[in-house]
């Protein structure tokens, strides 16, 4: 039996900057990220997505629709869903996270903090896969 993932492209570390750029484009009109990144630099916008991509490369899976990276999906096993500082360091995601800066991190916390707490409470003791991020370049949406 052929695995369904075999038809997809497994993203490599060298692909992360381009994959992050695809996700910046994919979420360009998302109201939540638009508010969080309203005054972000291009480097900070890329870093927003580089951190979870690097994290998932280390602890989970990152796939794209093809080598052209039209769409990206990244996930981790549920017991690794919490992006702890130590795991961020081990995955190489900490430098990207630090590029975000304190101002953007403060904007993220009231949104993603409660979501993380709810996930931990709801899924406690249950096996699951956590879809960290999924996005499709705007040229391929619809």
């Amino acid at each position: 039996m052929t695995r369904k993932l075999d038809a997809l492209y497994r993203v490599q570390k060298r692909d992360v900057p381009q994959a992050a750029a695809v996700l910046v484009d994919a979420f360009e009109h998302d109201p939540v990220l638009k508010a969080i990144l309203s005054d972000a630099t291009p480097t900070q916008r890329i870093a927003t997505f580089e951190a979870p991509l690097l994290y998932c490369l280390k602890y989970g899976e990152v796939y794209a629709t093809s080598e052209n990276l039209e769409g990206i999906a990244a996930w981790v096993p549920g017991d690794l869903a919490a992006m702890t500082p130590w795991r961020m360091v081990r995955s190489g995601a900490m430098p990207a996270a630090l590029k975000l800066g304190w101002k953007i991190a403060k904007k993220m916390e009231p949104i993603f903090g409660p979501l993380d707490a709810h996930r931990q409470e709801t899924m406690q003791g249950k096996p699951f896969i956590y879809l960290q991020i999924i996005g499709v370049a705007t040229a391929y949406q619809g």
Side-chain angles (χ1 to χ4, degrees):
M1 181 173 111
T2 304
R3 292 181 45 203
K4 299 224 183 237
L5 293 178
D6 290 344
L8 299 174
Y9 172 72
R10 189 178 184 116
V11 173
Q12 306 296 310
K13 190 170 184 178
R14 69 178 178 270
D15 300 318
V16 167
Q18 184 183 351
V22 167
L23 292 167
V24 167
D25 174 65
F27 285 92
E28 180 182 1
H29 300 293
D30 179 79
V32 173
L33 284 178
K34 202 172 190 178
I36 291 170
L37 301 174
S38 61
D39 54 355
T41 67
T43 298
Q44 289 171 317
R45 290 175 188 279
I46 293 291
T48 301
F49 297 101
E50 280 181 339
L53 289 170
L54 289 166
Y55 185 86
C56 289
L57 277 174
K58 171 72 175 171
Y59 294 108
E61 306 280 341
V62 182
Y63 283 91
T65 48
S66 77
E67 289 181 13
N68 297 322
L69 308 179
E70 301 92 342
I72 310 292
W75 60 88
V76 292
D79 60 333
L80 297 171
M83 292 175 67
T84 66
W86 177 243
R87 289 181 190 151
M88 295 283 288
V89 168
R90 289 199 67 225
S91 67
M94 190 59 83
L98 292 173
K99 287 180 195 174
L100 289 175
W102 184 246
K103 187 176 179 183
I104 292 173
K106 279 181 69 172
K107 286 183 179 181
M108 288 180 160
E109 178 52 34
I111 296 165
F112 296 112
L115 291 173
D116 288 343
H118 179 71
R119 180 194 70 242
Q120 289 174 12
E121 180 183 325
T122 303
M123 300 307 293
Q124 185 175 14
K126 300 173 189 170
F128 67 100
I129 299 293
Y130 182 65
L131 181 61
Q132 183 74 256
I133 191 146
I134 187 168
V136 176
T138 54
Y140 298 94
Q141 294 177 7

